[in-house]
Amino acid sequence: MKILIVPDSFKGTLTAQQVCDCITNGINAYSNHEIESLPFADGGEGFADCMEGICNGERKYTKCTDIYGCETQAYIVTFGDKAVIECASASGLQKRKRVMLATSYGTGSLIKFAYECGYKKIILGLGGSGCCDGGAGALTALGAVFYDENQKPIPRPKGNDLNYIFGAGFTNIIKDISFTFACDVENPFCGKNGAAYVFAPQKGANKTEVEELDNGLQRLSAFLPVDIRNIKGAGAAGGICGGLYSVYSGEIKSGFDILSEYADLENKIRQADIIITGEGKTDSQTIMGKLPYKISMLAKKHSKKCVVISGSIEGVEIGDRMISLAGDGTTVEEAICNAEKILTEKAKTILQ
């Protein structure tokens, strides 16, 4: 029997690779089958790691700053003439959620680093960011300038700077970069369904701050070279997608689709007998297009059995069988703390 394991990470608990290892170890404890592991992701956290594995990429490390301006080390993944950059690497959400003080400057620094290394074709993984500055910080790192009411440059624009932008200049910005934006949301740049209203509360914004950020994004959009307010996906990663797209254009594409093409996923599913997928929490959000749902649909398309094994499962049914780490006397907290052990044990039952 040929088994294909294609999970997302169990965010904050296990990487997609660790999930693959646990499931493989569980299955191999009782039976011997041909198993192929394919750690996967969408455009968010873990995207660059998955691209590295699929494309046999190489990591290049550099110093940059996080969302609060603290020095950190991050990496890009390179293969061929392309560089893969994950917004979450430099601009990821932190335990201290102060989105008004957060900037995407570090992501811009990684893009600049890739450019200086000779990579002008960049695949940017959007998602998992802790900022909502419309990409103003990233653009500044690339050479753009945003001015305050005194026409003085704002050094590293943050969320709370957007409403105080009175001018912008793009003359000295790095040019000749071709972007592919890996994005699995369609939220616009601003408005009731935009970056601030939908995502900023998850990053620590209260109701007043959400309104301030949305007003700021609308203000910022007036100074960007191209009107991106109606571009689907422009609100991804706190508007980083929209800000960069306004200057560089490019292609906004599903992160899942990008990985699928490079991994030849559909052909691998076609050749397998059983597909195993999963994530940290499978719920109503999953059927809106998250990875396990997309995997289950591809399995169904090719009449393949699909097993979903996740940390917890709430109110949805996808695939042919669903297995939850939580439940049957195991709390969600216990499942999180002992995820590796419980996942391995649960995997032993997949073929039963």
Side-chain angles (χ1 to χ4, degrees):
M1 184 180 292
K2 189 169 184 179
I3 300 170
L4 177 64
I5 305 172
V6 197
D8 201 343
S9 64
F10 285 21
K11 288 181 175 57
T13 306
L14 298 173
T15 66
Q17 182 61 62
Q18 289 174 318
V19 174
C20 286
D21 293 342
C22 290
I23 295 174
T24 299
N25 292 337
I27 293 173
N28 283 339
Y30 283 98
S31 54
N32 187 18
H33 297 282
E34 183 181 349
I35 299 176
E36 181 175 3
S37 293
L38 192 59
F40 231 66
D42 48 30
E45 189 175 355
F47 177 78
D49 292 348
C50 293
M51 286 293 289
E52 178 185 17
I54 290 168
C55 301
N56 194 26
E58 177 186 353
R59 291 190 184 191
K60 294 183 183 295
Y61 287 85
T62 186
K63 289 182 180 179
C64 60
T65 54
D66 66 12
I67 53 174
Y68 302 125
C70 300
E71 186 175 289
T72 187
Q73 188 176 59
Y75 65 88
I76 65 174
V77 170
T78 63
F79 67 96
D81 61 351
K82 298 178 178 64
V84 182
I85 298 171
E86 200 173 294
C87 285
S89 182
S91 306
L93 186 66
Q94 298 187 18
K95 290 183 179 179
R96 181 169 64 108
K97 299 177 180 179
R98 303 182 68 183
V99 67
M100 302 300 289
L101 301 179
T103 177
S104 62
Y105 190 91
T107 292
S109 297
L110 287 181
I111 296 169
K112 183 178 180 181
F113 172 67
Y115 181 85
E116 290 173 346
C117 288
Y119 298 95
K120 297 182 180 181
K121 295 181 180 179
I122 293 174
I123 303 173
L124 187 64
L126 299 160
S129 75
C131 54
C132 189
D133 68 349
L139 288 169
T140 301
L142 292 167
V145 183
F146 294 94
Y147 299 99
D148 64 16
E149 65 271 25
N150 298 313
Q151 290 303 300
K152 291 183 178 180
I154 302 172
R156 299 187 180 191
K158 306 179 293 295
N160 62 5
D161 290 320
L162 300 184
N163 281 304
Y164 301 95
I165 293 175
F166 284 79
F170 301 93
T171 303
N172 296 320
I173 199 166
I174 293 174
K175 299 177 176 65
D176 303 323
I177 300 178
S178 174
F179 279 101
T180 299
F181 299 97
C183 173
D184 281 280
V185 300
E186 295 188 345
N187 301 78
F189 195 66
C190 50
K192 295 298 182 181
N193 197 37
Y197 276 97
V198 176
F199 302 117
Q202 305 165 17
K203 305 173 186 184
N206 59 37
K207 184 178 179 181
T208 300
E209 290 170 337
V210 166
E211 294 175 354
E212 288 180 8
L213 286 169
D214 187 66
N215 289 335
L217 290 171
Q218 293 187 48
R219 186 177 187 85
L220 171 64
S221 69
F223 292 99
L224 294 174
V226 174
D227 186 355
I228 41 77
R229 287 174 295 176
N230 295 319
I231 300 293
K232 287 184 178 181
I240 292 175
C241 180
L244 291 173
Y245 186 89
S246 73
V247 176
Y248 293 98
S249 186
E251 183 178 18
I252 301 175
K253 195 171 182 180
S254 162
F256 178 86
D257 289 347
I258 293 171
L259 283 169
S260 297
E261 290 172 11
Y262 279 103
D264 195 20
L265 175 62
E266 190 160 355
N267 188 48
K268 291 181 187 297
I269 288 176
R270 189 183 294 113
Q271 294 176 357
D273 297 302
I274 295 179
I275 318 301
I276 302 171
T277 187
E279 60 186 336
K281 182 179 182 180
T282 297
D283 56 17
S284 59
Q285 295 292 314
T286 301
I287 58 176
M288 295 177 69
K290 286 190 176 182
L291 190 147
Y293 177 75
K294 291 183 177 181
I295 295 293
S296 69
M297 289 296 99
L298 283 174
K300 184 177 182 180
K301 175 182 177 180
H302 295 287
S303 302
K304 304 296 182 179
K305 183 177 179 179
C306 178
V307 177
V308 178
I309 181 166
S310 297
S312 64
I313 298 171
E314 294 182 6
V316 295
E317 293 185 12
I318 59 175
D320 299 284
R321 184 182 176 195
M322 302 190 76
I323 300 172
S324 175
L325 273 60
D328 297 327
T330 302
T331 66
V332 172
E333 291 73 21
E334 290 170 338
I336 292 172
C337 293
N338 302 284
E340 196 167 355
K341 179 181 178 181
I342 297 173
L343 179 57
T344 303
E345 288 299 314
K346 292 280 187 177
K348 295 177 182 179
T349 70
I350 287 176
L351 300 181
Q352 292 180 0

